[in-house]
Amino acid sequence: MMRNPTVLTIEDDPALLRLVEYTLSDRGMDVTTASNGREGLRQFYAVQPQLVVLDVMMPEMDGWETCRRIREMADVPILMLTARSQDEDVVRGLNIGADDYLVKPFSPEVLAARAQALLRRSSMSRVQKKPAAAYRDNRLLIDLVERRVLVDGVAVRLTATEFKLLAFLVENAGLVMTFRQTLENVWGWEYQDDTHQARLYIWRLRQKIEKDPKYPTYILTEYGVGYRFQKQGFDC
């Protein structure tokens, strides 16, 4: 018999904490709660959750620091809750290891769909057969078996979602992957119309692997259609 997934929710607003707990519990998840970052870290050690739902603005230890500390310990998916929709805040969360974000106020249905999508992607990444494909040229190495990326011999740290997006493009190198194909394969059908999500992660990947992110040579945009991974010179 399969265990229900365990979700740790860290939120200082009691009403929102109850809403998240009820919404996810109603979808068959075992929810553990904490009202601040320090308590959240203690609960993380204790329950070892499969997903963390984390508020940004909290007393004692904010969500940024809590996320950073959790990411140092584990690759568990992290869904951040923020009251501000500015890209700078979203990018900051993704840069320190968050996998997804929701802007308050949000509907319980959207919260549940995002949580289920993160759990499903995490589960699939653990059990799916390792891909044989890889890419290498004189600057970039992408090893899909060992899940590592090197630029000029230096390891590049990618989040689970960033790596899944890069792997999807590399496995389909030379082909244009539409926005919908990319979103459905990397994030799940719940995200099929969220083109901003794809653009944001493509921007982040370019910052990490392109020599000049403003003039990319690996991850190319087919305007109005989607993205294509372009091989450069020698590859394996």
Side-chain angles (χ1 to χ4, degrees):
M1 184 176 177
M2 291 183 61
R3 266 187 69 196
N4 290 341
T6 301
V7 180
L8 171 61
T9 300
I10 309 173
E11 166 64 62
D12 68 316
D13 182 336
L16 187 54
L17 189 62
R18 287 194 298 272
L19 173 65
V20 174
E21 182 178 15
Y22 174 80
T23 299
L24 300 185
S25 297
D26 193 51
R27 271 72 173 183
M29 305 177 203
D30 294 333
V31 182
T32 298
T33 63
S35 59
N36 60 65
R38 295 190 187 282
E39 181 187 351
L41 289 177
R42 288 193 292 269
Q43 293 283 18
F44 184 85
Y45 283 116
V47 303
Q48 297 293 299
Q50 281 81 58
L51 170 67
V52 176
V53 179
L54 174 62
D55 185 33
V56 170
M57 302 305 295
M58 295 185 297
E60 297 190 41
M61 181 187 296
D62 64 22
W64 309 124
E65 179 64 13
T66 306
C67 178
R68 187 185 66 78
R69 294 198 186 188
I70 289 174
R71 187 52 73 231
E72 287 175 352
M73 297 182 285
D75 288 329
V76 59
I78 299 174
L79 171 61
M80 298 199 79
L81 308 178
T82 176
R84 300 188 294 181
S85 60
Q86 287 94 335
D87 280 353
E88 309 90 78
D89 291 326
V90 173
V91 169
R92 181 180 178 185
L94 297 175
N95 277 335
I96 59 177
D99 295 277
D100 200 357
Y101 60 91
L102 267 180
V103 177
K104 303 175 185 177
F106 50 80
S107 72
E109 290 75 19
V110 170
L111 169 66
R114 294 289 183 93
Q116 289 166 337
L118 283 171
L119 286 166
R120 184 169 60 250
R121 296 200 322 255
S122 178
S123 176
M124 288 175 62
S125 69
R126 290 194 300 269
V127 302
Q128 68 185 183
K129 186 166 65 175
K130 289 182 177 180
Y135 173 78
R136 183 179 67 197
D137 60 28
N138 59 7
R139 178 177 176 274
L140 176 66
L141 168 67
I142 302 170
D143 189 329
L144 301 184
V145 175
E146 298 296 330
R147 297 181 64 84
R148 66 191 179 114
V149 176
L150 303 179
V151 173
D152 292 327
V154 178
V156 176
R157 185 172 181 179
L158 301 181
T159 67
T161 302
E162 288 169 350
F163 187 86
K164 188 172 182 181
L165 173 58
L166 181 59
F168 175 70
L169 294 174
V170 170
E171 288 167 344
N172 295 280
L175 302 176
V176 178
M177 296 292 103
T178 67
F179 295 119
R180 176 161 290 193
Q181 285 175 314
T182 302
L183 288 161
E184 287 184 351
N185 280 274
V186 178
W187 282 272
W189 64 267
E190 301 93 337
Y191 296 78
Q192 61 184 342
D193 297 317
D194 192 354
T195 55
H196 180 72
Q197 182 92 337
R199 290 190 179 99
L200 181 59
Y201 272 82
I202 290 292
W203 178 85
R204 286 170 48 75
L205 278 179
R206 285 172 173 161
Q207 300 300 310
K208 295 184 177 184
I209 72 170
E210 297 282 0
K211 189 171 184 178
D212 185 347
K214 292 182 179 179
Y215 302 97
T217 57
Y218 294 110
I219 302 176
L220 307 182
T221 300
E222 299 292 339
Y223 290 97
V225 182
Y227 302 101
R228 171 169 54 90
F229 184 85
Q230 179 64 49
K231 294 182 177 181
Q232 307 291 311
F234 168 77
D235 66 275
C236 62

